[in-house]
Amino acid sequence: MNAKPIHTSLCRFAGCMTGLAMLAAQAADGGIASGSTASHSIAFSNSYAGSDFRKVMVSNWQEIAVQAQKDGLVREAPVVSANNSASEQAAHIQDMIVNGVNAIVILAASDTALDGVIRDACNAGIVVVVMASLVTERCVYTVDYNWSAMGRVEIDYIAERLKGNGTLLEIRGIAGDATDKNISDGIRKAASDYPGLKFVKTVYGNWTASVARKEVALALPSLPNIDAVATQGGDGYGAAMAFKAAGRPLPIIVMGNRQDELALWKQERDANGYETVSVSASPSVSQVGFWVAQQILAGKQVPKFVEVPLVRIDAKDLDAWLATMPVGGAANPVYSQASVAAMIDAAIHNAAPPTPLPEITKQ
């Protein structure tokens, strides 16, 4: 988005000359931008709400939106979820444009199918933030993870445990999804550094335990011994249940920060010393998307890409993180306005985003 819509909104509150002065000051300084956004609306267009992870993500958005309304930082912040349908999501976004929202945060169902309606939103002066997904339209701001780093964490850990040699199963997310491709590409790129690691099968688990369990169970009868399973999040528990049901020993399954996965890890650790690592995105990324949109509207200088830190859980942190999660929950660090402003500043200076720590939050 160009500076014109920000300039216009500032002029409404403080006069054009004062607004430009505020914008210049906020662009030069770090920290929280304080331009008034009390009369603004920030909408969330979510592609899919069928998993526990996405349900917590929506809940995180709603809770922070309610607080922001109480604090006079936003007029409203509605959320609408599609059924993993790009056409349905495009219709939702078009309705948001017609309703005159000031910003739209999008978790996109497709990297290309929403380009037209996103362009319409940008042309209407609406701030568009694409979160935890990608689109090819260039007018947007993007809030996302370094998915290559996720693949690197997984494969380096597996390679260290297996001394560089072993047979692997890969569980991917939703076929055709840009994030699924980015994570898988990161896994495969990291694995290319270890010629002794061999992938013998790939299945799609839709980031959901029940689907992953079914697909892994269907694949196992035709597979040799599996030493490790590379995952994308939400699929580790289902994979473990499939191995157990087949009477096979548990391989190294990289977990994805969900409560059921971590509880299984703890149970297996306490019973027989099972070891693994867990790494994933967090559902509270929706809070990052909200605050990035709010800070743009408030006049903060924001780069086109803001990196969100992945949450990595090692054995020493397992109990602390698990203590923060209700059944059906996930590792869910809180992202306040101040912490997201710091994340934005890190992006401006090409620095790594702050690492989240376990903290008890309502889910």
Side-chain angles (χ1 to χ4, degrees), residues 5-84:
I6 299 175
H7 167 265
T8 301
S9 62
L10 287 168
C11 290
R12 290 177 188 155
F13 297 104
C16 290
M17 294 304 295
T18 304
L20 287 171
M22 289 170 58
L23 180 58
Q26 291 161 354
D29 298 334
I32 299 171
S34 57
S36 177
T37 56
S39 67
H40 287 57
S41 59
I42 302 173
F44 177 21
S45 171
N46 177 34
S47 64
Y48 170 72
S51 67
D52 288 338
F53 185 92
R54 291 292 186 97
K55 291 172 184 175
V56 175
M57 178 185 291
V58 169
S59 176
N60 282 331
W61 173 280
Q62 292 169 328
E63 289 171 7
I64 206 164
V66 168
Q67 189 59 51
Q69 286 175 294
K70 289 179 180 178
D71 294 341
L73 294 173
V74 68
R75 177 170 57 85
E76 62 177 359
V79 53
V80 181
S81 296
N83 189 29
N84 204 31

Side-chain angles (χ1 to χ4, degrees), residues 193-229:
D193 292 339
Y194 302 100
L197 297 180
K198 306 295 184 184
F199 287 93
V200 295
K201 184 70 175 179
T202 296
V203 300
Y204 285 86
N206 289 12
W207 301 311
T208 304
S210 59
V211 178
R213 179 174 184 171
K214 175 184 175 183
E215 295 302 318
V216 173
L218 289 172
L220 280 178
S222 65
L223 298 182
N225 178 66
I226 300 296
D227 297 304
V229 182

